[in-house]
Every structure is written in structure tokens, then in C-alpha cells.
Amino acid sequence: MNKTYFLTFKVKALKNNLEWCKYKNIRATCWVKTFSAISAYRECVHYLKGENLKIQGLDESIVNVTREMFIDRDIGLEHFDNAQKQGFSIFYFGVDESLAESKFVNFESKEKIDIGQILKNKNSMDRHQFCLHPRAGDECDKKIINAHSIQNSQSLSSIAKDGHVYHLTHKYRHQTKTYLEYEKIGINKASVFKGFCKKHDNEIFQPIDNTKLEPNAEQVFLYAYRSLCKEIYQKYKVINALKENIPLIPNKNQEDLTWHLLGNQKGYEELIKIKQNYDATFLNKSFDREFLYLIFYSETPMNLAFSSLIYPDYDFQGNLLQDLSDLKSDRDLITYFSAPMKRGWGYVFAWHIKDNTSCEPFIISLGRTIETGRSIEHTLFQYMILNSENHAFSPTWWESLEESERSQILYAVNHKLDMMSRKTSSQENDDIPDVSDWIFNDILTNIQWFKKMLETSN
């Protein structure tokens, strides 16, 4: 789905770029593997600014290229192949005025990145494994398994084709940047994490692995709990990856990543604190008293499966719910996921009662959106696309879309990783096509005031 784009920029070294100030008429030629020409341009601009180069213009139009175009051009072929592996490759040439006779020369940055070691670290991150059961320790059977954060036996298998689904995968780009693309993988590999031993995974999640959502509060809790544990495990992996990779990149890029590391460490601590509330609910079996949910029920066939969570900072009308930059205050968290149900499936929002301060207004704002006549199906499809990387598509459904529709969805998924993107809303994006094919037939909830409201409206 991603294409390779070829761009050549005219650039000039800034005054603080002592390394390249001797070069004049500099050209930076880039090969970028990404999902759109605009994204390729933004990627190059971001990278060249990091090299302390001022962009003076784009020499030619942005061209979508293939390997065959560079067969007889050794340098071009090498960079095209590098872009296939790393997502990005760049080549510089300019006039070197420090020579006895000025002439055009090829040159590159002296600051090298150990890409091989970064990739090795990335590919070995699954060595981190532990059990997140609240009583983990002596009770564990010591066999950590690939636990599915998206239910395998019913959710993934119901949308799979020949045992495969399309799942988001991080692809490596230059330095430590990544981009996302949809890759067809077997359901046994989709959405797995090494966060439970076999004994506890079987014991905890039996009520949802072997039974469809009825629904009841215990089942909803277990879906949410699994999503929370997946996020804790993932955050732990990211923290360790950053610690290992920061020393491998140029000093000028280390400061931003160090702040990124501190942010992830804070997020990890916050998730552990939230998990303590979930653990207490699980151990006390107080699901009915302490766990709230709202389910949009559909009898249409499932075409995707997802499991995620978010700290809702803004509601669906753009009103501030909680300031995530306030590192001293606790944050409210909401989970959302799909679940197979009798004769259909549910799009579920669920949260602990201790997180109700922000979560209830968030749900109320969703109701206001429905009252405006906006499609609830498209609204929730957009919300999932823009806020959850942990989702999988049915190959039958995904492959039935037009190429332009798939490209639009992929662009929306990646724009949140694009530092130069102006699209910041987490609720809607007009670029996402209305293709979900969902129809919600009912709303199910254990929130008493919401139940009464539904009864009155009916």
C-alpha cells in the first residue's frame, strides 16, 4: 500500500551548521517510502530541519518511483533499496569551495546511526515477559504465553479469512521514527503480548474466551482489564526500547527522545496506579458496583475487532475534560473495545467508577453528537481509527474497499505520528471515508440514569 517517493530539495546550511558551511548549491535528494506524497514531503522537511539546513525550494515535482527506474544508476538503486528497508534514504551533493578548485562533490552527515542495532533491539523486545495477575508470583506456572488483547477464539476468528487478518504494524524509518501500515498476519500472532502466565490467563479470562458477551459487568470488566494490561506491557517495552536506543542516535536528537522517555515513564506509573483499582475490583468481585459500561449493539457482521483505552481529554464537542499536561493530578481512563454477542456484536465503552469524573461527561457528549443527526456509526468508526492502534480488519472487508479509501484510512492512522500535521482532533477527521457498513440496533448499559433516559425516549 505504501509507495516510494523521490524528491530533490535545494537547501542551504544554517550558520550553526559548521560541518556543511563550506558547501554551496547543496541538493538533498530523498527516497521516502510512505502512504502519500504529502507525507513524504513533510518527512523530508522535518529531517532537513534536524540537519540544520534551510530549505530554499523543491527542485522537481514529487515523483512516485519504482526500483526499475534506478537499475542503471548505482547510487539511486542503493538509496531506493535502503528506503524499502528503513522507510527513508537521503543523498547530498554540492559545490565544495574548500578545495583548491571548487567542484561538485557528494557528501553525507558524519553523524551515523547504528540502524542495525536499533533494529536488533526492536526485534528482541519480546524478551520482556511477566504475569500481571494481581497475585502473580508463587501462584504462577512460570510459563508466559502470547496472550491476546483482542479476543482470538471469537473476535479475530470471526473476521479472519484463511486464518488471517489485517493488523497495524510499526515499520522502521530513519533515526527512531516509525510509520504504520496494515499487514496481513495470522490471527495467532495478532495483538499478542507476553503479560500473563498460561495458568492465570486461562483462569481470569475464561468468562469471555468461552462465552459471548451477554452482557454483564464481570465480562465487560475482563475485556477492559485485558486492554489495560496490554497497555502496561506495551508501555514497559517502549521505555526499555528508548533506554537502549537513545545512546545510539546523534546527540542533537537525544533531548527530544529523553523527554519522550520521561513521558512514557510517567504514563507507566499512572497505568500501574489505575491497575490497583482494577485489581481491587477483580479480587473483591465487585464488578456490578464499581464498573460502568455503555454498549452500542449491532446485528451487522463484524468487519473489524479492536481493544484500546484512552485518557479522554476533550469531549465530542471539543470541551476540556481533563488537562493531561497536569502531571500532579490523577487521570481518568476509559476503555473501548469490540465484543461478539449473541446474533451480533457490541462496540463497548467501559470504565471504573473512580474514573467517572471525566468519563461520564465524555459519554454524555457522545449523546449530544447523536442528537445533532451525525451518524453514530461513522463517529465511532472515526474514533476507533484515530485513537486505537490495536485493531484488526477483516481481509474480505478491507480488500473490498477502493484503493483511495484504504489510502485515506492509512493516512488518518499515520497523521497523529506526523509532527507537522495540523489535524489534532481525536474525535473526527473529514479525510476518513464513511465505509464502516455498521448499523447499531440498540444501546445496552448498566448506568441507571441512562437506562431511565432510554426507557423514556422509547
Side-chain angles (χ1 to χ4, degrees), residues 308 315 317 376 383 395:
S308 197
D315 67 14
Q317 284 73 52
I376 184 60
Y383 191 82

Side-chain angles (χ1 to χ4, degrees), residues 2 11-12 34 50 57 143 156 191 227 280-281 284 352 365 369-370 375 407 412:
N2 284 314
V11 298
K12 179 181 179 180
T34 188
K143 184 179 180 180
L156 290 174
S191 185
S227 182
T281 297
N284 296 328
H352 197 281
S365 77
T369 297
I370 299 171
S375 166
S407 295

Side-chain angles (χ1 to χ4, degrees), residues 288-307:
D288 290 318
R289 296 194 308 275
E290 298 177 352
F291 222 73
L292 303 172
Y293 63 82
L294 183 75
I295 303 173
F296 292 89
Y297 170 71
S298 175
E299 294 178 358
T300 55
M302 288 182 68
N303 52 27
L304 84 166
F306 60 94
S307 175

Side-chain angles (χ1 to χ4, degrees), residues 246 253-263 265:
I246 285 175
N253 299 114
Q254 288 188 7
E255 183 177 356
D256 287 344
L257 286 178
T258 299
W259 280 108
H260 188 45
L261 171 61
L262 293 174
Q265 288 173 328

Side-chain angles (χ1 to χ4, degrees), residues 353-409:
I353 196 168
K354 290 189 176 180
D355 295 324
N356 207 38
T357 301
S358 300
C359 293
E360 183 174 288
F362 176 80
I363 292 298
I364 292 173
S365 77
L366 181 56
R368 294 197 192 101
T369 297
I370 299 171
E371 291 172 356
T372 66
R374 182 178 177 86
S375 166
I376 184 60
E377 290 83 3
H378 186 48
T379 297
L380 294 183
F381 179 70
Q382 285 188 114
Y383 191 82
M384 189 282 300
I385 290 292
L386 293 173
N387 294 285
S388 172
E389 291 181 15
N390 189 29
H391 63 265
F393 289 145
S394 158
T396 301
W397 175 79
W398 181 244
E399 293 167 4
S400 73
L401 300 180
E402 298 290 338
E403 182 178 356
S404 61
E405 293 172 332
R406 295 196 297 267
S407 295
Q408 284 176 286
I409 291 172

